[in-house]
Amino acid sequence: MSKRRRNSASRAERREKVRDIFVARPFEGLASEADWVALRELVPAATASLQLSAEYAAKYPDRQVVLATVLPMAWPAMVRGDGTVLVGLQRQFQSGDVSRDIAASLLSALDTEVGQTVGVPALPGPGPRLQDVLADGPLDVTIETGFDFWIAPGADEDPNVKASLDQANESIYPTEQLAAAPGAYWCQVPDKAHVRWVLAEDEDPALDALAKLAAAGELTLGDGTRFAGMFRAHGLLVPVWDVPIDRPASDWETPLGTVRDGYQRYLAAAEPLTAEERRSRQGLLGRQFTLR
């Protein structure tokens, strides 16, 4: 092979190594897709235990793995002093496939000794995704009031971790998971409160069902509330309501349950949109923006 051809082949190989592929719904196929999106984009502090698939559980027996919304300095993963692997959803760098990113971080952490930094490439390339690495099952989410879970009980505190923990704790706003619907969370920021619900269905049928709710005057949580619009996050729609700041999260279980029932009823209906419902759909489209 000539030198020119060898150089061309080398350049092609390098381009292939860093080739990125965008996956619009990276958590599709996981049992709690809506909660994965919520923890990734909406919830400040939460954890959930993860179970490895049979293949990886056999390779890494007796390893405890915990999913966290965010880790110190937005690390992708860390190994706690007691050997527990923590993998973060909210991180500094990502490729076009978040599922592949998190799976690569998790596997790197499983191969990392206690006390060592987990090395994760910005673009992990082809390989197993969360859907391959984890056992099938829903997330059991725990809303945390602080990030003390970063540090193992009785372990010496890394000064960098401690400083990041103190700063992160100051940024947490009150958040509660709502039982009325999967992927639904109430939060209170300094001057307002919201109910946000990640819809697990494909965008088009979800939007049609919301449009029917809106046209029927049913896209409301009651007096004093306002439908604020929608996010689009990782391929799913996230309707948002402004609610009174002086009322607890539990007050919105029943109203959200009513909206959920109407949404599911319209989702199952085969009738095409009426002219009024099409106008409502256009209005909803004008009140959304995208989160990746």
Side-chain angles (χ1 to χ4, degrees), residues 139-160:
L139 285 180
D140 184 7
V141 176
T142 298
I143 300 295
E144 306 285 355
T145 57
F147 291 101
D148 301 275
F149 62 85
W150 288 351
I151 301 172
D156 292 335
E157 296 179 354
D158 181 320
N160 292 328

Side-chain angles (χ1 to χ4, degrees), residues 2 11 22 45 55 63 105 107 130 219 225 233 235 239 263 271 280:
S2 69
R11 287 195 297 272
F22 175 65
E55 175 187 354
R63 294 302 300 274
S105 301
L107 294 177
L130 288 170
L219 194 58
T225 71
Y263 171 78
E271 294 84 0
S280 293

